[in-house]
């Protein structure tokens, strides 16, 4: 049996690595003929290298499990995955019997052996001994309908059994052990129904169980001439009833029956189930006069058979023995050959003749899981591999005009897809379905010029556009020249069509649709780059057709808003131009077009500026504001409104803005001029307009009060008073009080006012009021301004008040002198007291800085009783001294060190001391006193030093980590 294993493995290797040989010099790219390589046939026959010890009676294959009945009482089982380990089981019977049929379930686990003695045996894949099915005794089994929905290795689930007497039973086989003495494998065997023909009960040739949607079960059963369909819904919870509901139906729900003339004495039905599907898709029933084949639709209420066709047997051919069905073919087994018939067109596409040395063919079966086809004679076994069965299906569908199906079967074969599309395009063109034809042509590799001329000659401009659009969509971004040509051509075609339709009012709806299509074309993301790069050509095309509407639309798409706004302005559509500016908020376009728009819609323009806020630079808008007519009151008011918005809302500090607002106020709104100047304030550093320009402007338009204000801001008080006296004396008085820090100037300004009142207005009373308004003026200051004939009666009160003020001032000076004398006396007493003040230090007293005994080293004693060593005080005070004091202290310490060096002799030292004193150098005692003034001026704990150091940390940040680690 090793030879069958070797052959099986070799066949699998040939399947996995098909021949890839090619003819020499054949290119591998492009749409060359698809049949360049030598193709293997769809049905590839292989004889199994196996010589059975006895004649083969029956053969079944499921899920790579092959079972054969050899001779009289031998069952040979082969797991094709492990073909070198065959298993042979003897039936162990001595009576005169013969194997009638063998049945294997789809899992390959359950084998039923039907004998001609009306007995049945059962063999499980995991068992080595057959077991009788006692409940089945008395029936010759003709067919079994396996349950694919409730199966496993130990039980078959409910199944249907058909007999040669037309009876249908429900049964279940299980290998589960139970009970004291064990159980028989047949759990139950229940009668359900009898199939009859016109002559009475007929053998049940085939049984097939399928479960559709929502637990709707369907059983297909066949006799020699009839096909029965039993369908019913088995609800959840009623599974114990099994398949009884399908057969216990009322007269109104009788099963669907198809009957055909002719009788072979037997019939066979085959089903095709696609991978990953649970129910079959198609069937083929071998009957008396031919093969009935079609598709299955389990959702139909009346019959699940659809698209049914009949293939009749040729008259000169022997009748078939067996049938199997694949995805697109059904195969008939004849005594000396097999034939494959395509289910799409009913043509014989394959015929294989067997030699006589192997004997007549007995039976053909198909592994429903693996898909291989097996044929046996009494002495030989053959296997057919199905190689790429759908390879030529597209041709058949194409010839039948079913192009969608044809395309489904050549998705991964571009050369075939191209042929199908070309054929479909030609077919649609002949049927005058030009748009559909154009769509298909665009996907082919046919010559572009040929197809375009074809539509042009047929005067099918719409189809031509469809072709160009589809072709454009399929182009790669790198094919820039082709994209440019197609885009330009399509634009021209759209414009031509729009021009024709626009003049025909009866085609208004069609015009609107075409316009919408054109706009969609222009705005397409695919075409955007091309249109942007060739916008000049597109503008020329639009201009040549006079289509300003789409020129504007295209400019908006290209974000060429300058062209859009310019177009609206040229057509006096200023509102729309402003809408475009406001929508896209391009500040440069605002600067460019505002002068034109300001001439016609000033209020709306200023509103738009205000909405833009700080996005616009007001300085760049001044050219638009200055371009106005003197009589255009609206423009002037709007200019003032925008300038006020910039100044008061935007807080604009640009000098040009403030100067321009000043000029507008001075020329057209003088009442607001002084208000603006006063709001700007009097601090020259915080005023944004040009003071000299403002002064010149106000003087030019004779706005004196405004000029006075500007003089005040410029601190030209004399000029302000001189000009204010021409307007109002009170205004001059307010100016005279401004230089409060310069009494001399203030007195001078008041003298100007007094002189003006006396000499110009000749009003003595008002002059006296001026005298009382300024404390710096005395009666003697203004007397020279009065004429000689003025009597003293007018100045009596003023003179008396002046004399009284002098007396009061003299008394105040006397009191101040007395207070100063008393203070000097107290100071002398305090100094005398301080000279005699002392403090006592105990031996146990300690330094407030280092906490060591105080008397060990030189120390300082403060009035607050804090005591410090000299060096401790230096360490505490010096780091907190200002930089200049630290430098001074360092210098004094150096001088003190140099003064402490020993002299050569005492006389010589005395001479040096006298010389140094004569030269103005400080003595050692004086240096120490200076050091004490710096270091010991106050107690470091009680004085200002402690207050100034309150924000300093206790630990130096640079030594923080070191200090923290010392505590760990």
């Amino acid at each position: 049996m090793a030879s069958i294993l070797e052959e099986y493995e070799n066949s699998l290797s040939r399947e996995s690595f098909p021949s890839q040989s090619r003819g020499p010099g054949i290119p591998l790219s492009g749409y060359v003929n698809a049949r360049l390589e030598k193709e293997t046939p769809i049905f590839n026959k292989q004889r199994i290298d196996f010589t059975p010890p006895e004649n083969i009676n029956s053969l079944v294959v499921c899920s790579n499990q092959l079972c054969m009945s050899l001779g009289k009482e031998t069952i040979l089982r082969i797991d094709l995955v492990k073909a070198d380990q065959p298993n042979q089981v003897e039936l162990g019977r001595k009576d005169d019997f013969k194997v009638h049929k063998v049945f294997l379930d789809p899992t390959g686990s359950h084998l039923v052996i039907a004998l001609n003695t009306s007995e049945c045996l059962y063999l499980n894949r995991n068992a080595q001994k057959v077991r009788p099915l006692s409940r089945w005794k008395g029936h010759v089994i003709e067919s079994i309908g396996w349950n694919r929905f409730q199966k496993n290795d130990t039980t078959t689930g409910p199944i249907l059994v058909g007999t040669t007497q037309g009876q249908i039973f429900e049964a279940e086989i299980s290998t589960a052990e139970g009970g004291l003495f064990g159980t028989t494998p047949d759990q139950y065997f229940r009668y359900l129904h009898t199939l009859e023909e016109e002559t009475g009960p007929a053998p049940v040739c085939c049984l097939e169980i399928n479960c559709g949607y929502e637990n709707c079960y369907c059983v297909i059963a066949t006799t020699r001439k009839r096909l029965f369909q039993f369908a019913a819904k088995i609800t959840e919870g009623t599974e114990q009833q099994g398949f009884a509901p399908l057969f216990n139906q009322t007269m109104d729900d009788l099963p669907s029956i198809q009957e055909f003339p002719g009788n072979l004495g037997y019939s066979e039905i085959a089903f095709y189930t696609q991978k990953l599907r649970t129910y079959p898709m198609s069937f083929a029933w071998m009957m008396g006069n031919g093969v009935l084949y079609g598709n299955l639709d389990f959702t139909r209420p009346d019959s699940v058979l659809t698209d049914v066709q009949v293939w009749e047997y040729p008259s000169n051919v022997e009748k078939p023995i067996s049938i199997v069905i694949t995805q697109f073919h059904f195969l008939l087994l004849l005594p000396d050959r097999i034939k494959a018939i395509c289910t799409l067109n009913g043509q014989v596409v394959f015929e294989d003749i067997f030699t006589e040395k192997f004997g007549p063919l007995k039976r053909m079966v198909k592994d429903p899981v693996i898909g291989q086809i097996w044929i046996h004679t009494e002495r030989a076994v053959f296997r057919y591999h199905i190689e790429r069965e759908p390879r030529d299906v597209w041709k058949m569908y194409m010839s039948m005009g079913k192009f969608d199906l044809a395309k489904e079967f050549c998705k991964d074969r571009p050369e075939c897809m191209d042929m199908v599309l070309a054929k479909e395009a030609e077919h649609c063109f002949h049927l005058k379905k030009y748009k559909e034809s154009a769509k298909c042509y665009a996907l082919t590799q046919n010559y572009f010029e040929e197809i375009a001329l074809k539509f042009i000659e047929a005067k099918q401009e719409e189809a031509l556009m469809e072709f160009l659009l589809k072709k454009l969509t399929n182009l790669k971004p790198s094919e820039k020249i082709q994209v440019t040509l197609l885009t330009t051509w399509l634009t021209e075609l759209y414009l031509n069509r729009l021009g024709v339709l626009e003049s025909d009012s009866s085609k208004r709806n069609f015009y609107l649709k075409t316009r919408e299509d054109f706009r969609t074309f222009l705005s397409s993301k695919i075409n955007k780059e091309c249109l942007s790069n060739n916008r000049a050509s597109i503008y020329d095309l639009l201009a040549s057709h006079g289509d300003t509407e789409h020129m504007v639309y295209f400019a908006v798409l290209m974000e060429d808003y300058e062209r859009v706004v310019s177009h609206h302005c040229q057509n006096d559509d200023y509102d729309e131009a402003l809408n475009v500016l406001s929508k896209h908020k391009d500040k440069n376009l605002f600067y460019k077009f505002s002068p034109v728009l300001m001439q016609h819609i000033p209020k709306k323009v200023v509103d738009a500026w205000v909405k833009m806020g700080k996005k616009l630079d007001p300085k760049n808008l001044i050219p638009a504001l200055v371009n106005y007519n003197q009589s255009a009151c609206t423009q002037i008011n709007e200019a003032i409104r925008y300038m006020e918005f910039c100044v008061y809302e935007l807080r604009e500090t640009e000098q040009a803005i403030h100067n321009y607002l000043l000029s507008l106020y001075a020329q057209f709104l003088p009442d607001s001029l002084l208000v603006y100047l006063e709001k700007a304030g009097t601090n020259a550093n915080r005023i944004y307009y040009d003071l000299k320009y403002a002064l010149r402007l106000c003087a030019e338009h004779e706005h004196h009060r405004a000029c006075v204000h500007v003089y005040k801001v410029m601190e030209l008080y004399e000029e302000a008073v001189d000009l204010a006296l021409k307007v109002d004396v009170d205004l001059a008085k307010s100016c005279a009080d401004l230089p409060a820090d310069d009494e001399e100037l203030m007195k001078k300004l008041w003298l100007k006012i007094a002189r003006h009142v006396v000499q110009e207005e000749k009003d003595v009373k008002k002059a006296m009021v001026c005298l009382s308004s300024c404390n710096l003026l005395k009666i003697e200051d203004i007397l020279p301004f009065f004429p000689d004939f003025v009597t003293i009666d007018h100045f009596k009160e003023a003179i008396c008040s002046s004399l009284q003020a002098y007396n009061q001032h003299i008394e105040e000076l006397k009191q101040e002198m007395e207070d100063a004398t008393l203070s000097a006396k107290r100071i002398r007493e305090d100094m005398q007291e301080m000279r005699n003040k002392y403090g006592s230090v105990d031996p146990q007293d300690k330094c407030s800085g280092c906490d060591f005994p105080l008397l060990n080293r030189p120390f300082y004693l403060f009035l607050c009783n804090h005591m410090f060593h000299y060096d401790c005080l230096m360490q505490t005070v010096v780091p907190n001294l200002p930089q200049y004091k630290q430098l001074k202290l360092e210098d004094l310490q150096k001088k003190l060190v140099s003064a402490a060096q020993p002299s050569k002799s005492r006389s010589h030292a005395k001479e040096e001391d006298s010389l140094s004193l004569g030269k103005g150098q400080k003595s050692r005692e004086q240096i120490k006193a200076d050091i004490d003034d710096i270091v010991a001026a106050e107690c470091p704990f009680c004085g200002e030093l402690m207050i100034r150091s309150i924000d300093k940390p206790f630990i130096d940040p640079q030594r923080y980590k070191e200090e923290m680690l010392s505590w760990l």
Side-chain angles (χ1 to χ4, degrees), residues 109 126 184 307 512 519 625 639 675 684 749 814 821 825 831:
S109 301
N126 300 321
T184 58
D307 303 327
L512 294 175
R519 293 185 174 184
L625 295 171
V675 176
L749 296 178
K814 288 181 179 180
T821 302
K825 181 180 179 182
M831 290 174 65

Side-chain angles (χ1 to χ4, degrees), residues 709-722:
H709 181 83
V710 176
Y711 277 134
K712 290 193 295 184
V713 175
M714 297 173 72
E715 296 183 355
L716 300 175
Y717 301 117
E718 292 189 42
E719 290 82 352
V721 171
D722 291 339

Side-chain angles (χ1 to χ4, degrees), residues 817-934:
M817 290 173 65
E818 292 178 359
D819 293 340
T821 302
L822 183 61
S823 296
K825 181 180 179 182
R826 289 178 179 174
I827 290 171
R828 284 193 296 272
E829 293 175 354
D830 291 339
M831 290 174 65
Q832 187 65 32
E833 183 180 355
M834 288 297 294
R835 287 174 184 169
N836 301 324
K837 195 166 185 179
Y838 65 91
S840 60
V841 177
D842 296 330
Q844 64 271 21
D845 287 342
K846 296 182 179 181
C847 174
S848 299
C850 64
D851 206 28
F852 281 97
L854 185 68
L855 298 177
N856 289 350
R857 299 196 297 274
F859 63 90
Y860 287 90
L861 173 63
F862 293 94
L863 295 177
C864 58
N865 290 327
H866 282 124
M867 310 168 194
F868 294 91
H869 289 130
Y870 171 77
D871 54 344
C872 294
L873 184 63
M874 294 288 285
Q875 291 177 4
T876 304
V877 174
V878 171
N880 296 287
L881 290 175
Q883 187 67 26
Y884 75 94
K885 283 191 176 183
Q886 291 184 13
L887 295 174
K888 185 178 180 181
L889 178 63
E890 185 178 352
D891 184 54
L892 290 172
Q893 287 176 334
K894 290 179 180 179
K895 290 180 179 180
L896 182 63
V897 171
S898 62
Q901 291 178 353
S903 58
K904 295 180 179 179
S905 64
R906 187 170 297 179
S907 61
H908 185 67
K910 288 182 179 181
E911 291 179 1
E912 285 184 351
D913 288 342
S914 61
L915 289 173
S916 64
L917 290 173
K919 292 179 181 178
Q921 294 182 354
K922 294 183 180 180
S923 65
R924 207 159 165 274
E925 295 300 327
Q926 184 64 38
I927 294 173
K928 285 184 178 182
D930 291 342
I931 292 175
D932 289 344
D933 289 340
I934 295 175

